[in-house]
């Protein structure tokens, strides 16, 4: 009685809270958590009651079915607050398909969120005993599987009639077939892993077997699990014993030999006009007579790829559905046979990598154009021998396909997982589950085996604690560090970091503060602001797999030594395992910490009027403005049709405003700033700890920052702004959206880039937003992140002056970065290119489309884009969000040629025309709109020469004979 009363009291509170979302208020996360906990214990879960839903639109009670002449279906209704949650938060729990409109479920305007939530919900039900419907799954009549299957068939018949869906969303559609009932086969691999996880969660002794089943499922697992059950039967509860028995049965079915008769029956049932029927019949005729795993994998991979390439040529949606169900069986064949094929020679291992990469393309993990870019280097050679550098190129290509595959899963499902983990941490496992249930799992194993061989042949071996499969680890930036290891799962943009720690991120925050070292599962790209800062400040940085991250969790919280060599091999060891030489590195660092001085002697602070970008050039950098504006002015002179009009708010205007009286203080804003640094120096001389001094400075700079944001702008300056809009940009303020780019004198110093540390205001339109944006940019050098980076590396951080570059927004289709050298290779003749869709591409750490190009225009795709959302710049001001798909490359051949031509010109002209002695590479930000190239910034590409030349790093960098000849036929 009390339980029933509690239920209605809870729902009463819930209904009261849910009266608000009708007014647009979202339900807070904590309340969602409480409701989920309640639903798990409710006998009806997320459901309210059972009803008949008749085709004439009427709804009847359970004992009053629809008349035969009308027909209908029976299923549960949702609790009112469950329905309300969908309206307020776009979160849908316990979805009943027969209850759902097809368009609403496909949810195109929300990146197909409802479909993805259905898949995620099914996963949570498998791993958490029904999840929100833990008891509700036994609510009789709530869901009728035959009605769900009928709905699924109708849904796919509707969906697969659209060519665009299969072209743009192939992977999502292919995956959805594993979850949406449509009279297809169950996905035994998902069920097997879910059962294994459920057992290990309740009984830790099963963990080793669970890891084996998850990472390398083999028939021997059946016997091992039976043996486990015999030994532990008395220790397990009745329900746990039943779960283990169910797992054994699932594994037996999963490891059964392929039943080609059933596959042939399904193929023979295809329409006689089906475009692939004859090819599939030939495939089964060949496969049915083969016991050779290599042959089965090869023919299945070929068929998978051909099916994907030609499915849209089949006119019938029903036949397309049948073909895609067959594709799932082909993937299952490859998954099983890959465990049976153990390559005996290096050439066989290369063949297996090639076939599995092709299969990854066939199931949608890799796009068709990406496969064309990587197929040639992956294709096994017919020679008897291979040189080490050639073998390395093949391994890098295979590893690339593996990383692209994992990136595809994250790009498609990451948004929904990020939403759910806020109230259900188990959602973290969904992406990993998708990867492990695909051909990416055996591909990862073969890539690891190939990496081990190359490491042995080149003596380029990672030494990362006790981890297995270290070939998936590679160094990005050379350097060394000592500190506490912290492993961070998920996407944490707001995480508080310490410069005393070494972080392992699943995805690094785009606004990262100083850290001792970085490791990431998703590196983003090599030319993002975070990567450039890490590179020029010698912060060691590596990329690793999700499996590696999981393996590092037990070491989180321990002090470690971390080093990346000049060739990219990695050392990570516990403090007690450090050599004397490694320990000495940090004593020397403390004694000889070198910092950089911001030059101030050339400043011309008397200039108090706005400057036309056309009248600014490279000579003005550090005098009137920062290097962004000075160099862009130079670019405007060199490439007038590729650079927008603009104007510059020089240092002098900032200093002039800072000399105004500061409210609540005795002196000016400038006096307050200098007092802060003077007091910090006094404390330092009195031996106050660095942490206390830093805390004091940050507190005082926060006061200053907030005061600057409220600072009154002088009327003469406001008038200057208004006339500059009209006279330089050609339109009055408020009618042209602009970028306000912070441009300080601390940027692009000889040994410090300062990339991305201060604020850029995107697409400000209204006058009040432009004026407020100016003050916000002036305040940004005093943020904690900006201060910490420059405080650590600058001798006089108080002498940082911001100028502001004001340029009209260009709503580019895609944008990115060009580095006029090979970032990884160090080859001065190469180009490194990274682009993402929308504005601000590649610089914020997006997983960008990246190329290395040589002087003859030959290019290698090093990574495709895997960023689902991108930034748009509407004419109404502010920013919008676009949704990307990956079926075509971002950059077309003309774009790449334009970039190549620009690089040649920049190398020849920029240093010469600016009379600069600089001989290094340049970092150029650019974008394309309607295929026209626009230039936004050029700066020196700063690298840390000390890290590259460190004696220690040189000592751990092996000398590699790239031309070493390796036999392909030698037995492994």
């Amino acid at each position: 009685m009390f339980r029933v009363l509690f239920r209605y009291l809870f729902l009463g509170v819930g209904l009261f809270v849910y009266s608000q979302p009708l007014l647009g208020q979202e339900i807070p996360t904590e309340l969602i958590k409480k409701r989920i906990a309640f639903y798990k214990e409710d006998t009806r879960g997320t459901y309210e009651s059972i009803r008949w839903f008749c085709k004439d639109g009427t709804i009847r009670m359970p004992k009053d079915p629809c008349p035969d002449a009308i027909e209908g279906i029976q299923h549960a209704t949702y609790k009112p607050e469950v329905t309300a949650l969908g309206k307020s938060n776009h979160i849908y729990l316990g979805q009943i398909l027969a209850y759902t409109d097809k368009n609403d479920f496909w949810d195109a305007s929300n990146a197909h969120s409802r479909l993805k939530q259905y898949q995620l919900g099914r996963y949570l039900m498998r791993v958490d005993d029904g999840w929100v419907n833990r008891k509700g799954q036994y609510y009789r009549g709530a869901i009728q599987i035959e009605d769900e299957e009928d709905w699924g068939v109708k849904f796919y018949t509707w969906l697969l009639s659209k060519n665009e869906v299969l072209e743009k969303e192939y992977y999502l559609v292919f995956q959805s077939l594993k979850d949406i009932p449509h009279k297809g086969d169950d996905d035994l691999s998902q069920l097997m892993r879910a059962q294994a996880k459920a057992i290990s969660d309740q009984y830790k002794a099963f963990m080793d077997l669970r890891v084996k089943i998850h990472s390398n499922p083999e028939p021997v697992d059946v016997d091992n699990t039976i043996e486990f059950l015999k030994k532990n039967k008395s220790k397990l509860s009745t329900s746990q014993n039943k779960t283990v028995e169910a797992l054994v049965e699932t594994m037996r079915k999963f490891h059964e030999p392929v039943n080609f008769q059933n596959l042939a029956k399904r193929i023979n049932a295809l329409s006689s006009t089906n475009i692939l029927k004859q090819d599939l019949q030939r495939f089964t005729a060949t496969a049915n007579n083969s016991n050779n795993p290599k042959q089965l994998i090869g023919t299945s991979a070929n068929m998978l790829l051909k099916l994907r390439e030609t499915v849209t040529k089949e006119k019938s949606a029903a036949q397309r559905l049948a073909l895609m169900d067959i594709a799932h069986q082909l993937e299952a064949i490859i998954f099983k046979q890959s465990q049976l094929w153990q390559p005996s020679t290096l050439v066989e291992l290369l063949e297996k990598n090639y076939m599995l990469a092709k299969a990854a393309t066939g199931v949608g993990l890799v796009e068709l154009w990406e496969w064309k870019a990587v197929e040639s280097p992956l294709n096994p050679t017919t020679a008897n021998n291979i040189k080490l550098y050639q073998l390395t190129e093949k391994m890098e290509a295979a590893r690339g396909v593996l990383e692209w595959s994992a990136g595809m899963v994250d790009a498609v499902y990451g948004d929904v997982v990020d939403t759910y983990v806020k109230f259900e941490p188990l959602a973290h496992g969904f992406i990993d589950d998708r990867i492990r249930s695909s051909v990416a799992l055996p591909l990862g194993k073969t890539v690891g085996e190939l990496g081990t061989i190359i490491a042995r042949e080149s003596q380029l071996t990672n030494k990362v604690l006790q981890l297995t499969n270290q070939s998936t680890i590679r160094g990005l930036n050379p350097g060394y560090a000592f500190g506490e290891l912290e492993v961070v799962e998920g996407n944490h943009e707001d995480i508080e970091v310490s410069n005393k720690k070494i972080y392992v991120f699943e995805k690094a925050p785009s606004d990262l503060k100083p850290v001792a070292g970085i490791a990431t599962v998703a590196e983003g790209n090599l030319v993002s602001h975070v990567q450039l800062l890490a590179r020029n400040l010698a912060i060691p940085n590596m990329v690793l797999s999700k499996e590696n991250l999981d393996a590092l969790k037990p070491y989180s919280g321990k002090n470690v030594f971390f080093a990346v060599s000049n060739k990219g091999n990695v050392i990570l060891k516990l403090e007690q395992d450090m050599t004397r030489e490694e320990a000495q590195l940090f004593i020397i660092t403390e004694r000889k910490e070198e910092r950089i001085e911001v030059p101030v002697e050339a400043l011309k602070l008397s200039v108090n009027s706005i400057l036309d970008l056309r009248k600014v050039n490279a000579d003005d950098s550090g005098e009137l403005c920062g290097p962004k504006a000075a160099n862009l002015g130079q670019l405007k002179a060199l490439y007038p049709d590729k650079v927008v009009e603009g104007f510059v708010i020089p240092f002098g205007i900032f200093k002039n405003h800072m000399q105004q009286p500061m409210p609540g203080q005795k002196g000016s804003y400038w006096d307050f700033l200098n007092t802060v640094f003077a007091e910090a120096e006094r404390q330092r001389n009195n031996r106050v700890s660095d942490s206390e001094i830093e805390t004091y400075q940050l507190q005082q700079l926060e006061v200053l920052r907030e005061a600057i944001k409220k600072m009154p702008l002088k009327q003469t300056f406001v008038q200057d702004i208004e006339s500059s809009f009209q006279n330089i940009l050609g339109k009055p303020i408020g009618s042209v959206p602009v970028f306000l780019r912070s441009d300080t004198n601390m940027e692009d110093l000889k040994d410090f880039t300062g990339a991305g540390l201060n604020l850029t205001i995107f697409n400000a339109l209204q006058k009040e937003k432009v004026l407020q944006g100016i003050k916000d940019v002036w305040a940004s050098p005093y943020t904690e992140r900006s201060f910490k980076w420059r405080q650590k590396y600058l001798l006089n951080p108080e002498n940082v002056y911001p100028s502001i570059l004001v340029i009209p927004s260009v709503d580019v289709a895609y944008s990115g970065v060009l580095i006029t050298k090979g970032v990884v290779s160090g080859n001065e003749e190469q180009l490194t290119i990274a682009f993402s869709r929308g504005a601000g591409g590649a610089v914020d750490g997006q997983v960008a489309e990246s190329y290395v190009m040589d002087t003859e225009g030959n290019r290698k795709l090093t990574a495709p884009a895997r960023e689902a959302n991108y930034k748009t710049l509407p004419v109404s001001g502010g920013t919008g969000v676009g949704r990307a798909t990956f079926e075509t490359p971002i950059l077309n051949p003309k774009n790449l040629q334009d970039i190549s031509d620009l690089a040649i010109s920049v190398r020849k002209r920029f240093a010469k025309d600016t009379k600069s002695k600089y001989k290094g590479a340049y970092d150029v930000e650019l974008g394309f709109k309607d295929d026209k190239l626009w230039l936004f910034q050029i700066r020196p590409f700063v690298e840390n020469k000390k890290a590259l030349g460190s004696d220690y790093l040189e000592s751990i960098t092996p000398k590699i004979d790239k031309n070493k000849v390796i036999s392909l036929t030698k037995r492994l």
Side-chain angles (χ1 to χ4, degrees), residues 353 356 402 439-449 469 471-472 547:
N353 262 299
L356 291 174
L402 180 63
V439 293
L441 181 65
L443 176 61
K445 186 171 182 290
T446 59
V447 169
E449 291 168 357
N469 197 11
S471 61
T472 53
E547 184 180 32

Side-chain angles (χ1 to χ4, degrees), residues 426-446:
L426 288 173
H428 264 307
F430 177 74
I431 289 176
D432 189 55
D433 183 72
R434 288 285 144 173
I435 294 170
R436 290 178 181 275
S437 66
S438 74
V439 293
L441 181 65
L443 176 61
K445 186 171 182 290
T446 59

Side-chain angles (χ1 to χ4, degrees), residues 338-506:
S338 65
Q339 309 300 324
L340 302 177
W341 180 18
Q342 301 297 324
S344 58
T345 61
L346 181 54
V347 71
E348 273 198 33
L349 185 59
L350 291 174
E351 288 171 342
K352 188 174 181 182
N353 262 299
Y354 173 78
M355 293 173 188
L356 291 174
K358 182 185 288 188
T361 309
V363 301
L365 287 164
V366 176
E367 295 290 1
L368 295 173
W369 73 270
E370 297 165 5
W371 170 245
K372 289 177 183 176
V374 80
E375 181 182 12
S376 179
L378 271 174
N379 215 330
T381 177
T382 55
N384 291 325
N385 300 310
I386 191 171
K387 291 184 176 180
L388 179 58
Y389 81 87
Q390 296 170 320
L391 184 62
T392 302
E393 287 175 353
K394 291 186 179 298
M395 191 275 289
E396 288 175 348
R399 185 171 61 191
V401 170
L402 180 63
E403 291 174 356
W404 305 352
S405 298
M408 178 67 81
V409 183
D410 187 56
V412 170
Y413 293 107
D415 52 354
V416 168
V417 170
D418 287 345
T419 296
Y420 269 59
V421 292
K422 294 172 185 174
F423 53 82
E424 179 47 82
L426 288 173
H428 264 307
F430 177 74
I431 289 176
D432 189 55
D433 183 72
R434 288 285 144 173
I435 294 170
R436 290 178 181 275
S437 66
S438 74
V439 293
L441 181 65
L443 176 61
K445 186 171 182 290
T446 59
V447 169
E449 291 168 357
L450 184 55
T452 300
I453 292 170
I454 290 175
R456 184 177 67 236
E457 296 291 344
S458 63
Q459 297 182 324
L460 190 68
T461 305
N462 295 319
K463 298 176 181 176
V464 180
L465 296 165
Q466 303 300 314
L467 271 61
T468 58
N469 197 11
Q470 296 195 19
S471 61
T472 53
I473 296 170
R474 70 181 191 279
L476 298 177
N477 301 325
Y480 49 81
F482 173 78
E484 181 185 332
L485 187 70
E486 183 164 335
V487 179
V488 183
E489 283 193 289
N491 187 0
H492 295 272
E493 280 292 328
D494 56 349
I495 186 172
E496 279 297 318
V497 298
S498 164
N499 61 6
K500 305 294 185 187
K501 291 185 178 183
I502 295 161
Y503 289 88
V504 183
F505 291 110
E506 195 163 334

